[in-house]
Amino acid sequence: MLSKQDLSLNELMVFTSELRAAEKSTATAYLMLIGGHLGLHRFYLKRKGTAVAQLILFAAAAIFYFVMAVASEIGSDIAAIVSIILFVLPALALFIWIMVDLFLLPRMIREFNEVIEREILDQIEHFRRMEQLAGRGRPDEAQQM
């Protein structure tokens, strides 16, 4: 497996450029966590399944909030109590999930960026193999001779 230390100067420049374009920022992720009830930070980190789950929890809480408001206007005590319970359950679950994400976010970003690094290194290694098969070798090898 190829590591960053094995890269030539040109490959390192390509690696850095590609990584900078694809890696995710901790600051941006935390800014998106402010809108965490919508799962924005998880969409940003390409965790679509859990992002959609957070979005569904938010939608459920919002729907039951409006049902609660309508039930209280109508004066139906049973409907108001049920809608309060149905509002609190997804809202509380989402709140706890967002609080946990406050602490998990740095690790999620680090893991995402490590995967990106590995993919770029794999692409560089693949390119090297293709160059060797074509008989061209690495440019820095020719300069060293």
Side-chain angles (χ1 to χ4, degrees), residues 30-123:
Y30 272 110
L31 284 174
M32 289 184 171
L33 186 63
I34 293 170
H37 55 282
L38 298 173
L40 297 178
H41 61 291
R42 288 187 171 265
F43 280 115
Y44 177 65
L45 294 172
K46 309 269 192 253
R47 294 176 176 239
K48 294 176 184 162
T50 54
V52 169
Q54 285 185 346
L55 193 56
I56 289 170
L57 282 173
F58 172 75
I63 288 168
F64 289 119
Y65 178 80
F66 289 115
V67 169
M68 180 178 62
V70 169
S72 66
E73 283 296 317
I74 293 173
S76 173
D77 292 337
I78 304 269
I81 292 171
V82 169
S83 61
I84 288 172
I85 292 169
L86 291 175
F87 162 72
V88 168
L89 290 176
L92 185 61
L94 186 58
F95 175 76
I96 291 169
W97 197 351
I98 299 297
M99 291 299 110
V100 170
D101 275 359
L102 275 171
F103 299 100
L104 293 180
L105 204 53
R107 188 192 67 180
M108 289 191 296
I109 294 165
R110 187 175 54 254
E111 288 173 354
F112 182 89
N113 288 340
E114 286 171 356
V115 168
I116 295 297
E117 280 185 22
R118 184 77 256 149
E119 288 174 357
I120 294 169
L121 287 170
D122 288 345
Q123 289 174 354

Side-chain angles (χ1 to χ4, degrees), residues 111-141:
E111 288 173 354
F112 182 89
N113 288 340
E114 286 171 356
V115 168
I116 295 297
E117 280 185 22
R118 184 77 256 149
E119 288 174 357
I120 294 169
L121 287 170
D122 288 345
Q123 289 174 354
I124 291 172
E125 188 174 24
H126 177 74
F127 179 74
R128 275 187 182 180
R129 273 189 258 127
M130 292 298 110
E131 287 289 309
Q132 288 172 349
L133 288 174
R136 289 181 268 213
R138 288 181 30 213
D140 59 325
E141 290 175 350

